[in-house]
Amino acid sequence: TSDNGGPLNLGASNGPLRSGKTHMYEGGLKVCTGVRWPGKIAAGRQTEFRALTMDLLPTLAEICGVPVGHSIEGRSFAPLLFKGEQLPLGRTDFFTWKEKSLAIAVREGDWKLVRDRDDLRYELYDIRTDPLEKNDVAAKHPETVERLRRSLETTLGASIRNN
């Protein structure tokens, strides 16, 4: 796996996904992950299941039978690996990148709110129907934009408002 999409300025290809590393579009966030364990995990299985790198620790701990004795944000996706199915992890995911300006995004279910740079307005995408983020539907769903924007501000706080 990787921590984010490839850098387009260095010749990386993120396939049909929009944009690349340091950006909040799927080309900058979504990466594939490969898991191999002959005799334990079925070969050739593919899924669109969404997890984050922080989910690796609880997954590996569960597989190894090691209890995690403190609170962590990650969640195990071991059932997906061994049974081939798992309920969504049921959380809201927040993404930030600060270089010269602040790029932020929040993903809740199929909704994704993006502000790719400080000088840009919020964009809203339904990733289920528009995985390539070609159709900004913010004007059609102002209540969803506002709800997700408030969620970003509550979670990320002053870092959003002061940048």
Side-chain angles (χ1 to χ4, degrees), residues 31-93:
V31 296
C32 60
T33 298
V35 178
R36 183 174 187 271
W37 192 358
K40 298 284 186 180
I41 297 174
R45 184 183 304 140
Q46 294 183 9
T47 180
E48 290 293 320
F49 188 83
R50 184 169 52 98
L52 299 173
T53 52
M54 70 182 178
D55 299 320
L56 290 173
L57 172 67
T59 302
L60 294 172
E62 180 178 337
I63 290 170
C64 295
V66 176
V68 178
H70 59 283
S71 177
I72 59 173
E73 293 183 22
R75 302 206 179 122
S76 175
F77 57 90
L80 177 69
L81 299 176
F82 296 109
K83 298 176 186 166
E85 56 187 50
Q86 180 167 338
L87 293 173
L89 297 177
R91 65 172 171 228
T92 300
D93 296 325

Side-chain angles (χ1 to χ4, degrees), residues 1-161:
T1 191
S2 176
D3 64 342
N4 49 34
L8 299 178
N9 63 331
L10 297 178
S13 171
N14 297 313
L17 299 177
R18 182 176 176 182
S19 201
K21 186 177 183 120
T22 78
H23 293 273
M24 295 291 107
Y25 301 107
E26 292 296 278
L29 300 176
K30 186 176 182 178
V31 296
C32 60
T33 298
V35 178
R36 183 174 187 271
W37 192 358
K40 298 284 186 180
I41 297 174
R45 184 183 304 140
Q46 294 183 9
T47 180
E48 290 293 320
F49 188 83
R50 184 169 52 98
L52 299 173
T53 52
M54 70 182 178
D55 299 320
L56 290 173
L57 172 67
T59 302
L60 294 172
E62 180 178 337
I63 290 170
C64 295
V66 176
V68 178
H70 59 283
S71 177
I72 59 173
E73 293 183 22
R75 302 206 179 122
S76 175
F77 57 90
L80 177 69
L81 299 176
F82 296 109
K83 298 176 186 166
E85 56 187 50
Q86 180 167 338
L87 293 173
L89 297 177
R91 65 172 171 228
T92 300
D93 296 325
F94 299 90
F95 306 92
T96 63
W97 182 271
K98 174 109 174 155
E99 199 166 303
K100 293 178 183 176
S101 63
L102 180 67
I104 54 177
V106 58
R107 174 90 185 257
E108 182 180 88
D110 293 326
W111 289 117
K112 182 174 174 195
L113 186 69
V114 176
R115 191 180 79 194
D116 196 51
R117 294 292 183 249
D118 290 336
D119 58 343
L120 297 178
R121 63 180 177 75
Y122 284 103
E123 302 166 55
L124 181 68
Y125 298 96
D126 179 346
I127 298 299
R128 182 182 47 78
T129 61
D130 183 18
L132 304 181
E133 297 165 301
K134 291 184 177 188
N135 302 298
D136 177 6
V137 295
K140 294 178 183 175
H141 301 279
E143 69 291 342
T144 302
V145 170
E146 183 58 23
R147 180 174 51 78
L148 293 175
R149 186 196 60 76
R150 280 194 315 270
S151 180
L152 270 169
E153 281 196 4
T154 300
T155 301
L156 302 177
S159 63
I160 291 177
R161 293 184 294 273

